[in-house]
Amino acid sequence: MIKEASPLEKLLEKKGLFCLLFFFAVFYSFLFAQFNQFPSEYYGGDHYAHFGSALKIYNTWNPFISSHYYGEFQHYPWLTPLLIALFAKITFLDMFTAAIFFPVVIIMCTIIITYLFGMRFFENKIFAFLLALTWAVQLVPSFHPSEFAKQLMIPLIALFVMLIYNKKDGHTELLSGKAKIITGLIFGVAALQHIVTFVVTAVLVGCLFVLRVAEKSFSWKTVQEEAKQFMPIILIGGFCAALFWAPLLIKYQGQTLNDWQLYSSESVLPSEGFVTAMFLDLINYNS
């Protein structure tokens, strides 16, 4: 005899995601409305540095030119400041107010993406709801690109893995055209959002390719078949990545932008420790 779902289960299945979105939108809107400055150092810090990039994009519509070094290319992935600038334009808010409230947009997207991941992983709306809830309360959302990566990009990359490594009845399924486009776009977003998310996602693409080949057979035919599966993902992600990386690699060859930057960084590439920490965050996501 099949047990009838409780009223709570029915509510969560029908309106759980909407209620979660509404609660966090109201809660964080009230919280951020009390801010008189960014959650950063009083006279500077990373939030103000990234806000400078967003302000430059807002005024020029050009994400490629640095807001810090005259006549140089942008040396940090520009997707986050671009989104802040677009949010300000769409909502008709001044840039400072838009940057204060932009984390509410981040948390809304985080909840939706984590819920979608939970639906694919658990195939259960209640567990998906609980996963979205527990992930949403781990970090106070921030428009800082590194916090953005921790809050939103980790569940998005986890969804990326599940879309590629989709098993049914013990067999890895072929990627549909829709899945190839979605995963390619996720790869592209990772490339433009943060240097580490790009490196981690690129490593995962290689690992998933090897895993799918190994589950079938290490034959040249299998390699060719899987290469055709991955080619659209790599092309879409690579094109997006080139929008940020190509100017840096052509003009700077991966070196510092100027002598002043030598005091803080010797390369535009991320450190080994930083990449390792982000990768460990990602592989621990399911736990």
Side-chain angles (χ1 to χ4, degrees):
M1 183 177 180
I2 300 176
K3 183 180 178 181
E4 184 179 354
S6 66
L8 176 61
E9 290 174 330
K10 291 180 180 179
L11 177 65
L12 290 178
E13 288 181 358
K14 293 181 179 180
K15 301 180 179 179
L17 180 62
F18 173 79
C19 293
L20 198 63
L21 290 169
F22 179 78
F23 171 80
F24 279 103
V26 172
F27 175 80
Y28 280 118
S29 294
F30 275 108
L31 176 65
F32 296 145
Q34 302 175 51
F35 284 12
N36 294 315
Q37 67 171 59
F38 301 137
S40 184
E41 293 82 354
Y42 281 106
Y43 300 107
D46 281 358
H47 281 76
Y48 287 91
H50 293 296
F51 177 70
S53 297
L55 191 62
K56 183 263 303 179
I57 295 174
Y58 180 86
N59 290 321
T60 66
W61 285 106
N62 189 343
F64 303 104
I65 302 302
S66 174
S67 63
H68 300 89
Y69 306 117
Y70 180 74
E72 305 286 4
F73 285 121
Q74 174 64 291
H75 60 282
Y76 204 96
W78 41 257
L79 181 60
T80 303
L82 175 64
L83 293 176
I84 296 173
L86 289 175
F87 179 64
K89 293 283 188 181
I90 292 171
T91 58
F92 301 101
L93 295 171
D94 64 88
M95 275 298 294
F96 181 81
T97 304
I100 288 287
F101 286 99
F102 183 71
V104 179
V105 178
I106 296 177
I107 197 68
M108 296 297 100
C109 295
T110 297
I111 290 170
I112 293 171
I113 291 168
T114 310
Y115 183 84
L116 293 174
F117 171 81
M119 284 294 295
R120 292 189 68 90
F121 189 82
F122 297 112
E123 298 181 349
N124 183 289
K125 291 184 178 180
I126 295 178
F127 284 165
F129 171 86
L130 292 175
L131 178 63
L133 174 62
T134 54
W135 188 253
V137 299
Q138 288 193 59
L139 293 170
V140 175
S142 166
F143 74 77
H144 190 294
S146 293
E147 298 303 316
F148 188 123
K150 293 176 184 177
Q151 188 81 17
L152 177 59
M153 293 305 298
I154 287 178
L156 187 61
I157 294 172
L159 181 61
F160 169 87
V161 172
M162 284 207 67
L163 288 171
I164 293 179
Y165 191 62
N166 186 24
K167 300 193 73 172
K168 188 173 183 180
D169 298 328
H171 300 285
T172 306
E173 292 188 322
L174 293 175
L175 294 173
S176 65
K178 183 179 178 181
K180 292 175 184 176
I181 294 173
I182 293 174
T183 51
L185 290 175
I186 293 175
F187 193 7
V189 168
L192 297 177
Q193 197 279 318
H194 200 288
I195 293 174
V196 175
T197 58
F198 173 52
V199 173
V200 169
T201 309
V203 170
L204 285 172
V205 168
C207 292
L208 290 168
F209 175 79
V210 173
L211 183 61
R212 286 177 63 102
V213 171
E215 286 193 342
K216 296 178 181 179
S217 64
F218 276 109
S219 64
W220 178 241
K221 181 180 179 181
T222 302
V223 171
Q224 286 181 314
E225 291 174 351
E226 290 300 327
K228 291 179 182 178
Q229 294 279 299
F230 277 76
M231 191 56 64
I233 301 172
I234 295 172
L235 289 176
I236 295 173
F239 173 78
C240 294
L243 294 175
F244 168 70
W245 282 101
L248 296 182
L249 296 177
I250 293 172
K251 184 175 181 179
Y252 308 117
Q253 290 83 49
Q255 301 304 311
T256 54
L257 305 184
N258 51 49
D259 292 339
W260 174 253
Q261 197 181 5
L262 291 172
Y263 290 100
S264 60
S265 175
E266 295 182 359
S267 172
V268 298
L269 302 175
S271 66
E272 179 184 352
F274 195 36
V275 173
T276 302
M278 287 291 290
F279 188 80
L280 291 176
D281 276 345
L282 174 63
I283 62 175
N284 285 330
Y285 176 71
N286 285 344
S287 64

